[in-house]
């Protein structure tokens, strides 16, 4: 298994990328090759500082002299900077020299490069990022979490099919539950966009070809407390929701810490109950997810947070390894073929 | 001060409405009259069970035989059910018999009744709900949190003016900071809608008439960690963000409790540090805010959560009392007059 790592993308690149990469090599034996993509001179200088051994036969440096900044316009910059770490790493996947792509860089650029170079899976109109949230019944994936801010209803139908194939293939959910993020659970709630999406998905379900159960409109609390595998939304809404959830979890952790340190007695209690806080952190930690798959392109593409730590980068690489092992795209293609066969049978 | 309370609205009505009302009467001496609006027969039977003394001279029962269900379409139902508790309570404010309206009922119906009966403040195109979040620098108000799901950029400009007048008048912020919720902090991030809003507000600020500082696009973490008084968004986004934040806080509290109860040692530690958890609950608790003002109508209208508890209802009544005391609408009207004078001086 060969993973192409964009070593230059993210707010703390290349430090955390190199450290996360080194950690991934130690932990995941099935990662046979880590292609570290970026400015060779910089990487040769930085790698030893962050524990990455360039003499390791599993490590291969791939030179890419250009970097796409976090705030540059995605698609345009990808076309212009053909020697950027994102472009070069994606080219490795396209050429079959890598099995997966991992980046914490400019999301728009990663999505554009993936759609441009790897192309969309036939039958899919737009790629979407599936970000997992720690639902009590297993991960609930927000789809799309930011690849496609102004989506159309047909894009969300594609997300429903891909998201349920993902839940089935990776998490073994027999009939995944799919809902639409809305401002109320009643069928008539939402905007013109969510209402059109609701009608389209209902219509599709009525044909008997849906590989999922449609549970209708959902709200914030459903992300955590209700059995829900995929929460559909446009990329703007998904991104805003995901960041709001993460920000709340972070604020709660901070307040808890402040309160526990506010007096010697509380400090004592906190020390005794320490295990609880360690576990809570683990449970709420966005880093544990690390990277989110971009579903819909011909290849494994993992998008990590711009603010990723080394742990998050390592987990993003793990997500890449798991996506390859689970043959995520085969499940998506199979689901699409199943639907199209039924369609053929009907006509 | 006379508050008209919709006793029939909300998931747990009339129980929590009556209990919250009774509690408010005990706590807020400036609340001289509580107009309890709803089905008289039901309320006479239920009031004693929930601690509300109908013989109290401060309590006045107002009969309203109809109830608007939580999932009925707002505007349409308000026009049809003229004897609903929402309509009758709003009529009391319109007639000058009450100084404020409080409801945990159908939000769409409350907003429609308010706009229909009280009318918009001249210069304001659409009313918006301002929901406070516990930002470290003082409350950050999401505006709109759900009154107007499909807003136009000009509506958000109105929200910026109202929200900053609110922050100034109620919280004493000299020059409130206003941002736009987006999927990234860079100026060019967002959808066509947020970009148009960004341009419109920037243009307005350039005229020198803005009673606020525009900080550009903001993200989830800014709601809690950055000095920000007003976060502008359409009502769909605001509602979804608010509920996602609340759901995350609730999930975190639940996980913390589970972890603390997982072993006898942890239980002991938790008992010793108990004060920390009590304070954390207080800090993160959406109930503490209780009700959110609907800004932009000629009157004080407080919208509480459909899932409100008695504590939340009591706090919604407190929000009504405070809004009247702070003369929120006078501040909004003053801000609008200031802007229009400057406009006159320019031409």
């Amino acid at each position: 298994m060969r993973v192409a790592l964009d070593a230059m993308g993210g707010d703390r690149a290349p430090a955390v990328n190199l450290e996360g990469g080194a950690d991934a090599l130690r932990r995941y034996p099935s990662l046979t090759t880590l292609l570290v993509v970026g400015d060779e001179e910089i990487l040769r200088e930085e790698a030893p500082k962050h524990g990455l051994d360039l003499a390791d036969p599993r490590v291969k440096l791939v030179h890419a002299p250009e970097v796409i900044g976090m705030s540059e316009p995605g698609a345009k910059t990808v076309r212009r900077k053909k020697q950027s770490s994102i472009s070069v790493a994606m080219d490795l996947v396209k050429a079959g020299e890598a099995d997966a792509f991992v980046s914490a860089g400019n999301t728009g650029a990663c999505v554009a490069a993936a759609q441009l170079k790897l192309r969309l899976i036939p039958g899919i109109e737009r790629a979407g990022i599936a970000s997992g949230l720690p639902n009590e019944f297993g991960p609930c994936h927000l789809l799309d979490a930011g690849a496609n801010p102004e989506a159309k209803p047909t894009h969300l139908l594609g997300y429903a099919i891909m998201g349920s194939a993902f839940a089935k293939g990776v998490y073994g959910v027999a009939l995944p539950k799919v809902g639409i993020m809305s401002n109320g659970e009643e069928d008539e709630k939402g905007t013109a966009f969510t209402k059109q999406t609701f009608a389209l998905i209902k219509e599709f379900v009525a044909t008997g070809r849906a590989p999922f159960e449609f549970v209708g409109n959902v709200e914030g609390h459903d992300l955590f407390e209700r059995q829900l595998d995929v929460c559909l939304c446009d990329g703007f809404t998904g991104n805003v929701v995901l960041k709001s959830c993460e920000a709340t979890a972070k604020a709660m952790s901070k307040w808890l810490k402040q309160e526990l340190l506010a007096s010697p007695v509380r400090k004592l209690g906190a020390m005794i109950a320490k295990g609880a806080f360690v576990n809570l952190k683990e449970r709420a930690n966005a880093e544990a997810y690390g990277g989110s798959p971009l579903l819909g392109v011909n290849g494994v593409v993992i998008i990590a947070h711009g603010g990723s730590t080394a742990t998050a980068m390592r987990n993003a690489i793990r997500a890449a390894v798991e996506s390859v092992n689970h043959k995520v795209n085969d499940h998506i293609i199979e689901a699409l073929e199943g639907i199209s066969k039924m369609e053929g049978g009907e006509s």
Side-chain angles (χ1 to χ4, degrees), chain A:
Chain A
M1 161 108 45
R2 303 149 305 164
V3 171
L5 172 68
D6 168 14
M8 311 303 280
D11 302 335
R12 303 179 220 185
V16 297
N17 310 43
L18 297 169
E19 196 183 326
D23 196 16
L25 286 165
R26 275 190 297 273
R27 287 173 187 251
Y28 316 127
S30 65
L31 177 64
T32 52
T33 307
L34 184 68
L35 297 142
V36 182
V37 185
D39 187 290
E40 197 171 340
E41 199 178 329
I42 294 173
L43 296 180
R44 286 211 180 276
E45 197 184 317
E46 294 294 320
K49 295 185 204 165
H50 302 287
L52 186 72
D53 178 9
L54 296 177
D56 182 339
R58 291 164 72 199
V59 177
K60 210 177 142 190
L61 217 62
V62 181
H63 183 54
E66 292 177 302
V67 175
I68 296 181
M70 295 303 275
S71 59
E72 291 190 82
K76 222 190 285 176
T77 315
V78 165
R79 282 174 211 273
R80 193 163 52 79
K81 294 189 174 174
K82 296 200 194 305
Q83 290 305 308
S84 66
S85 55
I86 288 174
S87 289
V88 172
M90 201 68 79
D91 283 331
L92 292 171
V93 178
K94 187 185 174 185
E97 291 170 40
D99 301 298
F101 166 99
V102 173
S103 175
N106 184 315
T107 300
C110 291
V111 173
Q115 297 197 150
L116 200 71
K117 292 169 192 289
L118 307 182
R119 300 282 167 188
L120 292 165
I121 293 173
I124 292 301
E125 287 180 38
R126 216 44 89 83
I129 296 172
S131 277
L133 287 168
N135 184 294
E136 287 175 16
F137 297 88
C140 169
H141 283 84
L142 265 180
L143 211 176
D144 165 37
N148 180 17
E150 304 201 65
K152 290 181 184 165
T154 50
H155 302 167
L156 268 65
L157 175 56
Y159 295 161
I161 295 164
M162 293 196 290
S164 49
F166 183 68
K168 198 174 171 183
V170 177
Y171 297 98
V173 183
L175 189 67
K177 291 180 194 291
V178 174
I180 300 172
M181 177 56 86
S182 192
N183 59 344
E185 293 189 349
E186 298 84 8
D187 287 2
E188 58 282 345
K189 282 288 170 80
T191 58
F193 167 73
T194 68
K195 285 175 195 170
Q196 283 162 23
T197 305
F198 190 105
L200 180 70
I201 292 183
K202 220 177 145 183
E203 196 185 312
F204 176 67
V205 169
T207 66
R209 294 180 284 141
F212 55 81
E213 182 191 338
F214 180 48
V215 302
N217 287 331
V218 298
E219 293 184 291
H221 62 95
D222 297 312
L223 298 172
F224 303 103
E225 297 183 330
R226 172 185 184 172
Q227 203 172 345
L228 182 69
D229 301 289
V230 180
C231 178
L232 301 174
C233 47
D234 62 79
F236 178 83
T237 302
N239 194 267
V240 159
V241 164
L242 185 67
K243 286 177 181 164
S244 297
C245 291
E246 287 172 359
T248 307
K250 198 177 154 210
M252 287 280 289
S253 299
K254 190 171 172 183
W255 300 338
L256 175 62
K257 198 171 170 186
Q258 286 170 348
E259 292 295 341
L260 289 172
L261 295 175
S263 82
V265 174
R266 287 186 189 173
K267 277 186 202 169
L268 173 70
M271 244 164 65
I272 296 171
K274 200 181 166 204
F277 311 118
V278 174
N279 287 8
L280 179 69
K281 198 180 165 186
E282 193 62 29
R283 246 170 122 165
N285 205 341
E287 285 181 20
Y289 285 82
S292 303
L294 178 72
L295 301 181
V297 291
N298 289 304
V300 172
V301 172
I302 302 293
I303 310 280
H305 242 282
S308 286
T309 60
T311 306
M313 289 308 298
R314 180 246 293 163
N315 285 328
I317 296 170
R318 189 191 60 195
V321 171
E322 287 175 356
S323 282
V324 175
N325 284 339
H326 280 109
K327 301 183 194 302
V328 168
N329 279 353
D330 289 358
H331 292 288
I332 292 174
I333 291 165
E334 201 182 302
L336 289 165
E337 281 174 356
I339 292 164
S340 106
K341 260 184 213 154
M342 282 193 252
E343 196 167 19
E346 266 178 12
S347 65

